[in-house]
Amino acid sequence: GAGVSQTPSNKVTEKGKYVELRCDPISGHTALYWYRQSLGQGPEFLIYFQGTGAADDSGLPNDRFFAVRPEGSVSTLKIQRTERGDSAVYLCASSFSSGGSDEQFFGPGTRLTVL
Amino acid sequence: GDSVTQMEGPVTLSEEAFLTINCTYTATGYPSLFWYVQYPGEGLQLLLKATKADDKGSNKGFEATYRKETTSFHLEKGSVQVSDSAVYFCALSPHGGATNKLIFGTGTLLAVQP
């Protein structure tokens, strides 16, 4: 079946602009995660959704970052007033449930470049 | 807070050599432990996992044992192949709480030469 998909695969924007990154999880997966991976680093947790609600947003770096999942499926990560330091690969993952040992399936990521 | 430390790379080996990539963790309670792999041009995928002390995860010839006494989860393979060249990430998922986020190490690049 289809895996996790993310669009766009690449996004180049200018400092100060607004961007939206989209994630389509695997059908039937209730848990959805966003991570950010900077060059040479491991993924860093941003936010976790269980269904439509954000169960843990403790990883969002500041109030410029926001994410939604209005119908419990597709999620959008929104970044306002982008800064050069926001440049990274943004990864989305989903899992069937919220169990701590459940496998998270990752998408290919969106590479964001802020000029 | 919870964290994962893994050996820095790159690790360069000849085909059929023995592989060890060290991983240690700091966590409260009893986390689940994972190794994820990222092959060139591909997304992260789960390699193996262990959910409690003394569990051994295994897949594709790779093994790792959850050692609570040494807070370690070292990855091993007896005979590596060129196709194993990838970046390997050790990760933990904290026990309990409202989130099941993964906390990753910085990754170890493995390059296997023919």
Side-chain angles (χ1 to χ4, degrees):
Chain A
V4 177
S5 62
Q6 294 186 245
T7 54
S9 56
N10 280 283
K11 176 70 177 179
V12 180
T13 191
E14 294 180 343
K15 180 176 179 294
K17 299 291 188 182
Y18 168 84
V19 296
E20 290 190 350
L21 311 179
R22 176 187 168 106
C23 172
D24 281 86
I26 293 172
S27 178
H29 281 193
T30 61
L32 185 145
Y33 307 79
W34 283 99
Y35 296 85
R36 177 169 69 174
Q37 186 174 18
S38 300
L39 193 63
Q41 300 296 315
E44 177 187 23
F45 169 76
L46 296 176
I47 187 169
Y48 156 59
F49 287 90
Q50 179 56 41
T52 60
D56 183 354
D57 64 357
S58 63
L60 295 178
N62 52 59
D63 61 6
R64 295 187 298 106
F65 289 75
F66 189 70
V68 296
R69 194 186 185 199
E71 298 179 357
S73 178
V74 170
S75 177
T76 304
L77 178 67
K78 308 180 181 192
I79 311 174
Q80 298 178 320
R81 304 184 303 281
T82 52
E83 300 178 357
R84 293 194 180 87
D86 298 335
S87 296
V89 176
Y90 289 81
L91 299 171
C92 177
S94 69
S95 63
F96 180 71
S97 69
S98 58
S101 62
D102 284 1
E103 178 177 357
Q104 292 184 25
F105 294 83
F106 283 80
T110 293
R111 182 176 299 277
L112 175 66
T113 303
V114 181
L115 301 177
Chain B
D2 297 349
S3 64
V4 173
T5 302
Q6 61 182 107
M7 63 188 289
E8 291 190 18
V11 174
T12 303
L13 297 173
S14 297
E15 206 164 23
E16 299 184 3
F18 183 85
L19 169 71
T20 299
I21 301 178
N22 290 337
C23 171
T24 57
Y25 67 90
T26 300
T28 55
Y30 304 94
S32 294
L33 301 175
F34 305 82
W35 278 99
Y36 276 80
V37 59
Q38 190 167 32
Y39 297 103
E42 299 185 17
L44 273 169
Q45 54 187 276
L46 179 66
L47 180 60
L48 53 84
K49 70 179 183 182
T51 59
K52 60 183 187 295
D54 300 324
D55 266 3
K56 177 185 286 188
S58 61
N59 186 25
K60 299 182 180 179
F62 291 88
E63 293 183 340
T65 301
Y66 190 139
R67 300 288 189 198
K68 183 173 180 293
E69 63 275 13
T70 55
T71 63
S72 65
F73 193 55
H74 304 321
L75 182 67
E76 297 182 335
K77 186 175 185 181
S79 176
V80 294
Q81 306 300 311
V82 172
S83 58
D84 294 326
S85 298
V87 181
Y88 292 81
F89 293 91
C90 185
L92 69 82
S93 179
H95 176 75
T99 184
N100 295 295
K101 64 185 179 186
L102 290 170
I103 297 170
F104 287 88
T106 55
T108 302
L109 173 64
L110 171 65
V112 181
Q113 299 176 336

